[in-house]
Amino acid sequence: MPTGTVKWFNTTKGYGFIAPDDGGKDVFVHISAVERAGMTGLADNMKIAYELREGRDGRSSATDLKAL
């Protein structure tokens, strides 16, 4: 399970980005994934584990979030 740090998350807009610990492109995270994990939002600089899922548009997003 990849890990990373929340770069920023805006609860009002409903999305944010995670900077992967292994480098590479930032990972998109949607509010629906956060809510499915039982959280109300993500704090900047929060350490998190996640799985990647391909979207219909071909881009990856974070799912199955777990706070570390």
Side-chain angles (χ1 to χ4, degrees), residues 3 9 12 17 22-23 39 42 48 52 61 63 66:
T3 59
F9 188 84
T12 305
F17 291 91
D22 63 359
M39 299 181 238
L42 300 175
I48 198 148
L52 286 176
S61 63
T63 61
K66 292 178 180 47

Side-chain angles (χ1 to χ4, degrees), residues 20-36:
D21 286 343
D22 63 359
K25 291 171 50 172
D26 291 346
V27 178
F28 177 83
V29 60
H30 191 265
I31 187 71
S32 61
V34 175
E35 291 170 345
R36 278 193 300 275

